[in-house]
Amino acid sequence: MTTTQEAGGGTTAPAGPAFTPVTGRLRATPIDPVDEIAVISETEVVVRKTVRDDDPYLEGHYPEFTVYPGAFIIESVFDAVLRLVRAHRGERTFVEPAEISSVRFTTALRPGDTLQVRCVCQPGHDDAGNDTVRVVAHCTNGEAKAALVKMAFRVLPAEEPTGSGAA
């Protein structure tokens, strides 16, 4: 039986894929780009983010018609790919955006909506032989399509631990 874990440590009813809160961010961002994550396979990951009306990033973003910024959808795609790569290559591995080949926003996300991002990832190599991941991210709000994002990321090898005591 699989349960869903949410930020704050509580659990809810049995669910499909196991979602766990994302912790241990390496860099500061204006928001937490995902609330829940499920690594489905070596090539697929799903993340969720609930748009909250009290989050400071929404203040002033179209005050009469508050919408979730498209750049934050792309940030959620990045975070999903980072978590997928780390799940299979180790927590010290990192990815960096190499290319955004296509972005299409189709539905505005508003406070109370839940963004779900399903990333299908294809590992490969760029012309220089670097490891890459090509991603097609299907972003939805319930049944409504919110965005389609196509990106590529460079996979950066895990850093060696510092302070190993070597002279």
Side-chain angles (χ1 to χ4, degrees), residues 99-115:
E99 171 186 318
I100 299 176
S101 54
S102 175
V103 177
R104 177 172 288 202
F105 301 108
T106 54
T107 300
L109 294 163
R110 310 236 15 229
D113 290 343
T114 298
L115 169 67

Side-chain angles (χ1 to χ4, degrees), residues 71-114:
F72 292 171
I73 293 174
I74 294 171
E75 180 73 15
S76 294
V77 172
F78 167 82
D79 208 61
V81 173
L82 176 63
R83 299 306 172 172
L84 175 72
V85 169
R86 285 184 170 173
H88 297 286
R89 295 190 186 196
E91 283 296 312
R92 298 179 67 79
T93 306
F94 200 75
V95 297
E96 65 181 9
E99 171 186 318
I100 299 176
S101 54
S102 175
V103 177
R104 177 172 288 202
F105 301 108
T106 54
T107 300
L109 294 163
R110 310 236 15 229
D113 290 343
T114 298

Side-chain angles (χ1 to χ4, degrees), residues 47-49 107-110 112-118 138-147:
V47 298
R48 292 187 186 137
K49 168 68 178 167
T107 300
L109 294 163
R110 310 236 15 229
D113 290 343
T114 298
L115 169 67
Q116 178 169 296
V117 179
R118 180 173 297 273
H138 298 272
C139 308
T140 58
N141 174 25
E143 296 297 316
K145 294 178 184 176

